[in-house]
């Protein structure tokens, strides 16, 4: 199967070249997934998905065209090759484009990306895992009025990247995602919470922990109150760090955004932009990491890139285009959603170094402030202004939790988030491809009402 | 297509399913992005495949295939039927599926089909808009223009006998400008999208979208961050649409009822807002981005009066939610593509106009904020919580427009916000958008008139 798909990619390259492409690149993705949904405390549906398709990038002069199709049939691939060449011809040449990447020799060895147990997971095993998580949620909620939603998705995928300059790579991977989302009611009060694990290895899944934690937090979210608007310390729990730093800062060190002058950290390489407690690396080689890969989405060998060292901005995340444009090292951060998209830039595993102490320790030390457990908000990437709703949060005073929060917003610029991150916890967890502990932000504008 | 769909449906029924349906899709898109005068992305795609569902006694199964042969469809139909049967043993809540039968074939005629326009012509339009933004002011430091066209044909059939073919054609253009002055950097996002062919790009607004975003980015250079606090606010038509969508529309999606995940669960038929308030969702509006004749389950669409006279009257249904709640299906089942199952979704969502004059509304308020346009928004109906962000706004003092402010966030509770809407103007405007739910993106449209909301928390720096 794998060598067949590599052959298919080689033949697609030849098609594009025969139509006039000077360079061509083919990305073939093939995946299967099995998923189960729980609604109102019981299994409701199951899904079997198989997806395979092909994306072709053609280069003529400094013009680039891209086309993809959701099948691997010969006539469809021919149509995609033909369209990508036509688009390359009609596009406006980009003087900064130099070349597709060349082969740099052997790929590094990475481990823990494929688990045969996930690949072979039966529908019975999958049902048992999700029901264990649901039972653990029910147990914790005991007599309360509840409605539990849950989902399990087991996927395995294969991808192959080939280009006309000698790049040829293929890799397999598996992931398992399990979450529970209980809604609880008490009188007229209603709230919910969410907990999940997303991993490449079946042995890491702990359905009882997921169920218990989501239920425990849902109970804690009942009785939400507003507080007096004020400047207060904010403890960002790992889920919130995953969104605010994992997206809001990782997106700002994207070299393309910086080169175009669209990032709030423009021109800051070598400068102290963060508290000296904050250390971040982008690690494409982390064993078993969700963002781990031997090569990026252009087929370039993965690496470990220092982003923040003692608060100093060390480097940006590049793909071949942005690295060539500035004549700097390509950090192999090319990413694409699947065969169905052009390469952009994103972090691989964005790892924030941990400090010491549990969330409880941080609350005790900080004395008064709020915990933001979760938010869906990202900053304005150009100004850095962040106005984030506390989706799940708690108010604490004298080092003790007082109550949960409603209608509460955190206002702060991302530059201040980085500078005021003066205390880092030891409670590291993975939130997808972001590895993060809790972080205390010394002060932010809290609006509640 | 009819024979292929029937092969899958028969195979699913043969192994024991009591209901089955099929969506076969063929979609062609072009996306062209020009940044700072040069091509950034030029992308063409074809989506081709079928999604098949089978149902028995409250258990669903779904599968997709790109093998559009009789054999491929039969095989997928059989496997999805078996999966539904296996799932049935673990299902707690049993129910039956019911639904009306529709047979139709709806051509969507456009003046200039996207397929008849060369890539060069499309590229020339994108370059024109990009140049417009670049040359607007020397403080404009980055310009992105993204063109997207989509033509789709979709055939839906089910075991009740529904057989509907329809096509759609959606043009869209986005212009994002970044301005810089000293250390101040600002960005403006503007977009346009309705229903039609390539001729739509000749309309006045899409011909001037580069200038519109560049002007807004320059204006933002003199804006200040809003000061957080509780304010009386007036939302403009675009932001009003986003508010209706986030703060209320999602909570009206009927899949929340069997799942018990909306704070509106006990509110059907009850007052949820002031008596003058009317909110609706209307996929039958002519020529809009959220318009379609039949939904992804093949149900004919109709206008949904979600809130009429302040009372929650109607929900957004799929065949399943209508069957389980004993209500009329209203064609709200939408899916991103054949790779997904239909869910209850919004289309063209709006607050209906009232009788206030916009100037009067401002005068009457005295002090507060006028909030305009949007960056994004989201909601969790199970918590009853939502937030959305205006891209900019203005302080209102003595009824007059004052200092420009930016990135103003507004958070609130679904059950609290509607009663705070005390005045609705008589103007009306809609804006194109894209809505995300459960990992599925669908094109939508929302809007309304200017409206005033009393005492809401506004986030600031």
């Amino acid at each position: 199967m794998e060598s067949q798909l590599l052959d298919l990619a080689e033949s697609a390259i030849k098609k594009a070249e025969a139509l006039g492409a000077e360079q061509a690149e083919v990305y073939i993705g093939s995946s299967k997934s099995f998923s189960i949904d729980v609604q109102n405390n019981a299994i409701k549906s199951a899904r079997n998905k198989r997806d395979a398709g092909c994306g072709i990038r053609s280069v003529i002069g400094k013009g680039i065209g891209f086309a993809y199709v959701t099948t691997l049939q010969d006539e469809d691939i021919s149509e995609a090759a033909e369209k990508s060449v036509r688009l390359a011809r009609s596009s406006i040449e980009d003087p900064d484009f130099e070349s597709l990447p060349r082969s740099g020799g052997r790929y590094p060895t990475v481990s823990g990306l494929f688990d045969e147990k996930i690949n072979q997971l039966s529908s019975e095993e999958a049902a048992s895992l999700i029901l264990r998580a649901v039972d653990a949620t029910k147990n914790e909620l005991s007599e309360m009025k509840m409605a539990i939603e849950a989902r399990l998705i087991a996927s395995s995928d294969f991808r192959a990247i080939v280009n006309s300059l000698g790049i040829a790579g293929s890799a397999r991977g598996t992931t398992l995602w399990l979450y529970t989302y209980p809604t609880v009611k008490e009188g007229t009060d209603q709230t919910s919470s969410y907990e999940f694990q997303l991993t490449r290895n079946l042995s890491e899944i702990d359905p009882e922990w997921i169920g218990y934690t989501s239920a425990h937090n849902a109970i804690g979210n009942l009785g939400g109150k507003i507080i007096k608007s004020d400047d207060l310390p904010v403890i960002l729990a790992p889920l919130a760090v995953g969104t605010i730093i994992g997206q809001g800062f990782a997106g700002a060190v994207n070299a393309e955004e910086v080169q175009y002058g669209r990032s709030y950290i423009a021109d800051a390489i070598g400068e102290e932009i963060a508290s000296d407690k904050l250390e971040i690396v982008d690690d494409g080689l982390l064993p078993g990491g969700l963002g781990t890969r031997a090569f990026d989405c252009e087929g370039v060998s993965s690496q470990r890139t220092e982003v923040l060292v003692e608060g100093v901005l060390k480097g940006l995340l590049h793909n071949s285009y942005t690295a060539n444009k500035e004549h700097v090292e390509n950090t192999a951060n090319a990413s694409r959603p699947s065969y169905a998209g052009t390469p952009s830039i994103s972090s691989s595993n964005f790892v924030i170094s941990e400090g010491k102490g549990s969330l409880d320790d941080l609350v005790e030390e900080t004395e008064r402030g709020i915990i933001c457990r979760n938010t869906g908000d990202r900053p304005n990437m150009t100004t850095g202004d962040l106005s984030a709703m506390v989706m799940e949060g708690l108010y604490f005073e004298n080092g003790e939790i007082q109550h949960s929060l409603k209608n509460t917003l955190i206002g702060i610029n991302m530059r201040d988030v980085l500078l005021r991150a003066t205390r880092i916890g030891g409670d590291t967890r993975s939130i997808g491809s972001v590895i993060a502990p809790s972080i205390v932000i010394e002060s932010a504008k809290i609006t509640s009402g | 297509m009819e024979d292929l769909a029937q092969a899958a449906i028969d195979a699913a029924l043969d192994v024991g399913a009591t209901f089955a349906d099929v969506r076969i899709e063929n979609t062609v898109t072009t996306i062209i992005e020009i940044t700072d005068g040069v091509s950034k992305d030029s992308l063409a795609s074809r989506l081709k495949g079928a999604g098949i569902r089978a149902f028995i006694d409250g258990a669903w199964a779904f599968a997709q295939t790109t093998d559009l042969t009789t054999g491929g469809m039969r095989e997928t139909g059989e496997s999805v039927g078996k999966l539904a049967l296996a799932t049935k043993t673990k299902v707690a809540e049993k129910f039956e599926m019911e639904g009306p039968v529709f047979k139709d074939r709806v051509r969507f005629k456009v003046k200039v089909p996207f397929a008849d326009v060369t890539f060069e012509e499309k590229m020339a339009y994108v370059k024109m808009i990009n140049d417009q933004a670049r040359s607007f002011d020397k403080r404009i430091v980055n310009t992105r223009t993204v063109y997207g066209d989509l033509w789709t044909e979709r055939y839906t059939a089910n075991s009740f006998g529904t057989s509907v073919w329809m096509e759609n054609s959606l043009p869209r253009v986005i212009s994002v400008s970044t301005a810089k002055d000293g250390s101040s950097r600002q960005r403006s996002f503007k977009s346009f999208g309705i229903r039609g062919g390539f001729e739509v790009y000749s309309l006045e607004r899409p011909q001037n979208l580069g200038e519109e975003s560049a002007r807004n980015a320059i204006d933002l250079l003199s804006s200040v961050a809003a000061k957080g606090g509780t304010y009386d606010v007036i939302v403009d038509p675009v932001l009003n649409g986003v508010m209706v969508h986030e703060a209320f529309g999602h909570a009206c999606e009927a899949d929340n009822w069997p799942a018990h995940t909306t704070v509106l669960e006990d509110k059907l038929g009850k007052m949820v807002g002031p008596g003058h308030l009317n909110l609706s969702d209307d996929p039958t509006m002519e020529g809009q981005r959220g318009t379609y004749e039949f939904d992804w389950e093949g149900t004919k669409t109709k206008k949904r009066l979600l809130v009429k006279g302040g009372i929650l009257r109607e929900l957004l249904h799929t065949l399943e939610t209508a069957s389980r709640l004993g209500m009329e299906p209203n064609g709200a089942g939408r899916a991103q593509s054949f790779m997904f199952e239909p869910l209850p979704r919004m289309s063209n969502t709006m607050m209906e106009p009232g009788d206030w004059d916009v100037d009067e509304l401002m005068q009457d308020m005295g002090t507060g904020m006028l909030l305009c346009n949007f960056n994004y928004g989201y909601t969790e109906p199970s918590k009853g919580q939502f937030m959305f962000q205006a891209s900019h706004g203005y302080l209102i003092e003595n009824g007059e427009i004052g200092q420009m402010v930016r990135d103003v966030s507004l958070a609130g509770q679904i059950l609290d916000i509607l009663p705070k809407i005390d005045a609705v103007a008589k103007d009306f405007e809609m804006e194109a958008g894209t809505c995300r739910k459960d990992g599925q993106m669908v094109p939508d449209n929302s809007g309304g008139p200017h409206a005033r909301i009393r005492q809401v928390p506004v986030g600031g720096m």
Side-chain angles (χ1 to χ4, degrees):
Chain A
M1 173 72 174
E2 292 183 21
S3 67
Q4 259 178 352
L5 291 179
L6 274 167
D7 289 348
L8 198 63
E10 292 284 0
S11 85
I13 297 264
K14 292 207 170 63
K15 277 185 179 139
E17 286 175 342
L19 290 161
E22 290 159 13
Q23 295 182 1
E25 173 197 68
V26 171
Y27 185 115
I28 288 185
S30 168
S31 65
K32 62 165 189 172
S33 72
F34 179 75
S35 59
I36 300 183
D37 281 8
V38 161
Q39 186 186 70
N40 194 24
N41 319 326
I43 283 178
K44 188 189 164 217
S45 60
R47 232 175 267 114
N48 230 329
K49 288 193 173 188
R50 278 171 193 278
D51 180 22
C54 173
I56 304 176
R57 183 158 55 149
S58 292
V59 181
I60 299 174
K62 287 175 181 288
I64 302 156
F66 184 88
Y68 74 85
V69 60
T70 59
T71 82
L72 292 178
Q73 283 147 22
D74 200 48
E75 63 189 66
D76 294 328
I77 293 178
S78 296
E79 184 196 346
E82 184 263 323
K83 278 188 176 170
S84 76
V85 169
R86 266 204 289 140
L87 276 166
R89 276 209 182 92
S90 51
S91 70
I92 303 163
E93 292 200 298
D94 182 349
D96 291 319
F97 175 80
E98 284 188 6
S99 170
L100 293 177
R102 284 167 204 286
S103 170
R106 284 173 61 117
Y107 289 126
T109 309
V110 289
S111 60
L113 302 191
F114 186 85
D115 181 0
E116 191 58 35
K117 290 198 182 99
I118 294 178
N119 188 42
Q120 298 288 343
L121 194 74
S122 69
S123 55
E124 287 74 25
E125 289 168 311
S128 148
L129 282 172
I130 196 169
L131 290 174
R132 276 168 60 193
V134 171
D135 285 344
T137 317
K138 273 189 202 159
N139 254 344
E140 182 62 13
L141 297 174
S142 61
E143 300 301 309
M144 298 181 80
K145 207 169 164 195
M146 67 179 106
I148 303 163
E149 287 191 353
R151 177 175 286 175
L152 175 145
I153 306 178
S155 321
S156 58
D157 65 76
F158 169 83
R159 64 187 177 119
I161 304 169
V162 176
N163 79 15
S164 34
L165 300 175
I167 294 264
S170 66
R172 290 198 301 167
T174 49
T175 55
L176 186 69
W177 183 34
L178 175 59
Y179 77 75
T180 51
Y181 185 93
T183 298
V184 291
K185 292 174 198 187
E186 199 173 59
T188 58
D189 196 7
Q190 171 173 336
T191 189
S192 60
S193 189
Y194 165 76
E195 191 51 87
F196 77 105
Q197 277 185 300
L198 174 55
T199 170
R200 292 184 172 280
N201 192 326
L202 184 66
S203 67
E204 285 173 9
I205 286 282
D206 185 348
E208 281 74 23
W209 176 82
I210 295 171
Y212 166 80
T213 310
S214 66
H216 180 77
N217 286 331
I219 295 169
N221 289 343
L222 283 167
K225 291 181 192 155
I226 57 171
I227 55 172
K228 192 169 163 288
S229 298
D230 202 353
D231 289 319
L232 286 177
V234 177
I235 303 177
L236 300 175
L239 275 181
V241 174
T243 309
I244 292 175
I245 305 285
Q247 295 177 25
F249 181 59
V253 294
N254 173 330
E256 183 172 298
E257 293 304 303
V258 174
Q259 287 175 0
Y260 284 134
R262 300 193 295 227
S263 164
Y264 62 84
I265 61 124
D267 317 325
I269 294 269
E271 286 175 28
E272 197 168 327
I273 60 162
S275 140
D276 60 5
K277 303 283 190 303
L278 210 52
E279 305 250 343
I280 299 178
V281 295
D282 180 75
D283 190 355
L285 303 172
L286 187 76
L290 203 76
T292 304
R293 62 268 182 131
F295 53 87
D296 75 356
C297 286
E298 292 181 311
V300 176
S301 289
S302 285
Q303 64 170 48
R304 188 174 182 276
T305 306
E306 285 182 336
V307 177
L308 270 184
V309 177
E310 291 186 353
V312 176
L313 181 65
K314 289 291 183 185
L316 304 175
L317 307 180
H318 286 275
N319 62 11
S320 68
Y321 174 81
T322 60
N324 287 341
K325 191 169 172 177
E326 271 186 275
H327 306 290
V328 296
E329 183 194 21
N330 181 353
T331 59
N333 284 96
S335 75
R336 48 174 93 168
S338 69
Y339 60 84
T342 50
S344 57
I345 294 176
S346 71
S347 51
S348 57
N349 297 295
F350 209 58
V351 185
I352 300 163
S353 299
E354 70 174 11
K356 279 200 186 96
S358 64
L359 187 62
D360 289 344
D361 296 337
L362 298 180
V363 167
E364 206 179 307
E365 280 172 38
T366 312
E367 291 193 353
R368 177 166 172 257
I370 68 165
I371 299 171
C372 175
R373 197 178 104 78
N374 205 354
T375 178
D377 290 294
R378 285 156 296 129
N380 177 323
M381 297 306 289
T382 305
T383 62
D385 287 345
L386 170 72
S387 185
M389 175 170 76
V390 179
M391 251 162 76
E392 289 184 45
L394 301 162
Y395 173 68
F396 61 92
E397 218 176 79
N398 303 320
E400 281 178 24
I401 305 289
Q402 303 297 312
H403 56 78
S404 65
L405 292 167
K406 70 169 189 181
N407 286 13
T408 301
L409 290 156
I410 302 169
I412 186 168
N413 190 278
M414 282 303 289
R415 284 183 285 259
D416 293 325
V417 168
L418 299 171
L419 289 167
R420 296 177 192 168
T422 50
R423 177 75 171 89
I424 316 289
D427 53 345
T428 300
R429 64 172 285 190
S430 68
I431 309 108
S433 61
V434 182
I435 317 290
S438 293
I439 296 180
V440 184
I441 309 298
E442 274 179 335
S443 169
K445 179 94 192 162
I446 307 302
T447 306
S448 189
Chain B
M1 283 189 182
E2 284 84 346
D3 294 345
L4 291 175
Q6 202 55 48
I9 290 169
D10 290 345
L13 297 182
D14 282 349
V15 293
T18 54
F19 173 81
D21 73 353
V22 174
R23 273 155 295 285
I24 301 176
E25 178 186 348
N26 178 29
T27 298
V28 182
T29 67
T30 306
I31 295 170
I32 294 170
E33 175 176 341
I34 291 182
T35 295
D36 295 345
V38 301
S39 288
K40 173 74 187 121
D41 276 329
S42 312
L43 188 156
S45 75
R46 182 180 291 278
L47 267 82
K48 207 165 84 170
I52 302 165
R53 288 193 304 181
F55 172 89
I56 178 166
D57 288 350
W60 281 106
F62 175 82
Q64 67 187 52
T65 180
T66 54
D67 184 0
L68 297 178
T69 61
T70 311
M73 293 295 285
R74 196 179 293 129
E75 195 184 314
T76 312
E78 188 181 319
S79 96
V80 76
K82 284 180 179 164
L83 187 58
L85 241 62
T87 308
K88 177 189 147 183
T89 58
K90 300 183 179 74
V91 158
E93 224 164 317
K94 290 192 171 26
F95 58 90
E96 292 302 319
M97 286 288 289
E98 291 162 32
V101 172
F102 295 99
K103 289 180 194 288
D104 208 342
R105 197 176 161 82
V106 188
R107 281 216 83 87
F108 179 62
K109 286 203 186 77
V110 299
K111 281 206 187 93
V112 186
F114 300 128
D116 293 354
V117 182
T118 63
F119 288 141
E120 281 79 3
E121 285 172 82
K122 293 176 183 178
M123 208 73 74
Y125 164 71
V126 188
K127 180 148 189 339
M128 187 273 286
I129 296 299
N130 195 259
D131 288 346
Q132 211 178 68
R134 287 172 82 203
S135 60
F136 181 77
D137 189 295
K138 62 180 189 312
R139 289 169 292 174
I140 296 290
V141 293
N142 179 255
T143 56
R144 262 182 89 200
T145 310
V146 187
Y147 163 100
D149 66 38
L150 175 149
W151 173 85
T152 185
E153 60 172 330
R154 165 167 59 82
Y155 174 71
T156 304
N158 70 26
S159 53
F160 296 149
T162 284
S163 167
V164 172
W165 179 92
M166 65 165 280
E167 61 179 344
N168 206 1
S169 176
L170 297 174
R172 193 167 192 216
V173 56
I174 292 167
S175 171
V176 189
S177 300
T178 306
K180 183 174 183 285
D181 195 359
S183 62
S184 173
R185 246 173 234 280
Q186 297 299 331
R187 171 203 69 185
S188 168
F189 174 103
K190 296 283 175 184
S191 84
F192 180 80
I194 54 174
R195 194 184 196 203
F198 192 72
E199 72 280 359
V200 163
Y201 293 106
S202 307
L203 295 173
E204 192 185 337
R205 203 167 157 232
Q207 281 289 313
N208 295 287
L209 203 73
E211 194 180 317
E212 187 181 326
S213 78
R215 176 176 291 118
N216 191 236
I218 294 294
D219 287 350
L220 280 166
L221 285 172
S222 52
S223 67
V224 297
K227 193 171 174 299
T230 304
Y231 293 85
D232 286 347
V233 305
I234 291 173
V235 288
D236 82 344
V238 175
L239 193 65
N240 190 358
V242 174
M243 176 182 77
V244 173
H245 180 106
E246 296 298 346
F248 210 75
H250 277 296
C252 293
E253 291 162 345
D255 50 348
N256 284 310
W257 267 257
H260 305 292
T261 47
T262 174
V263 289
L264 294 180
E265 190 172 350
D266 310 323
K267 302 291 179 197
L268 204 55
K270 294 185 182 152
M271 289 294 280
V272 290
H276 60 82
L277 194 72
N278 299 302
L279 308 179
S280 56
D281 184 77
D282 187 3
T284 69
M285 285 176 93
E286 197 178 326
Q288 295 292 338
R289 186 169 155 85
T291 300
Y292 50 92
E293 288 78 12
F294 289 89
D295 77 355
W296 277 245
E297 293 182 310
T299 305
K300 189 158 181 57
T301 52
K302 61 188 209 60
K303 181 172 180 173
R304 283 80 72 144
L305 304 167
L306 304 176
V307 173
K308 179 110 177 97
I311 296 171
L312 177 62
R313 294 278 289 269
E314 198 174 349
L315 308 177
L316 299 165
H317 286 294
T318 55
L319 290 177
E320 178 194 333
T321 63
S323 299
R324 294 180 80 173
L325 300 173
M327 296 176 187
E328 278 294 305
N330 50 21
R334 301 183 70 182
Q336 177 179 317
S337 73
F338 72 90
M339 298 186 192
F340 299 90
E341 297 142 281
L343 299 171
R345 303 293 292 263
M346 287 170 265
S347 59
N348 304 304
T349 314
M350 73 208 89
M351 182 183 289
E352 309 267 354
D355 49 15
W356 281 74
D357 202 72
V358 180
D359 287 340
E360 260 173 36
L361 197 59
M362 216 94 81
Q363 289 293 330
D364 189 73
M365 182 168 76
T367 304
M369 272 192 205
L370 168 65
L371 300 182
C372 309
N373 219 308
F374 74 103
N375 288 334
Y376 66 92
Y378 62 96
T379 179
E380 263 192 299
S382 60
K383 282 195 185 69
Q385 201 164 237
F386 67 87
M387 87 88 75
F388 54 88
Q389 196 176 76
S391 70
H392 64 281
Y394 303 88
L395 299 180
I396 305 288
E397 278 160 39
N398 301 320
E400 302 285 329
I401 288 188
Q403 173 66 46
M404 188 181 197
V405 293
R406 62 175 180 256
D407 294 337
V408 193
S409 294
L410 213 148
Q413 303 287 314
I414 291 167
L415 294 175
D416 294 348
I417 193 83
L418 295 189
K420 291 182 177 178
I421 302 170
D422 76 335
V424 178
K426 54 187 164 198
D427 60 333
F428 187 81
E429 204 184 306
M430 294 196 95
E431 176 84 345
T434 300
C435 168
R436 186 186 183 94
K437 175 180 174 180
D438 212 2
Q440 294 194 46
M441 317 276 280
V442 298
D444 73 347
N445 196 38
S446 56
H450 281 80
R452 182 171 64 196
I453 317 168
R454 295 290 192 184
Q455 295 295 298
V456 282
V458 168
M461 293 299 118

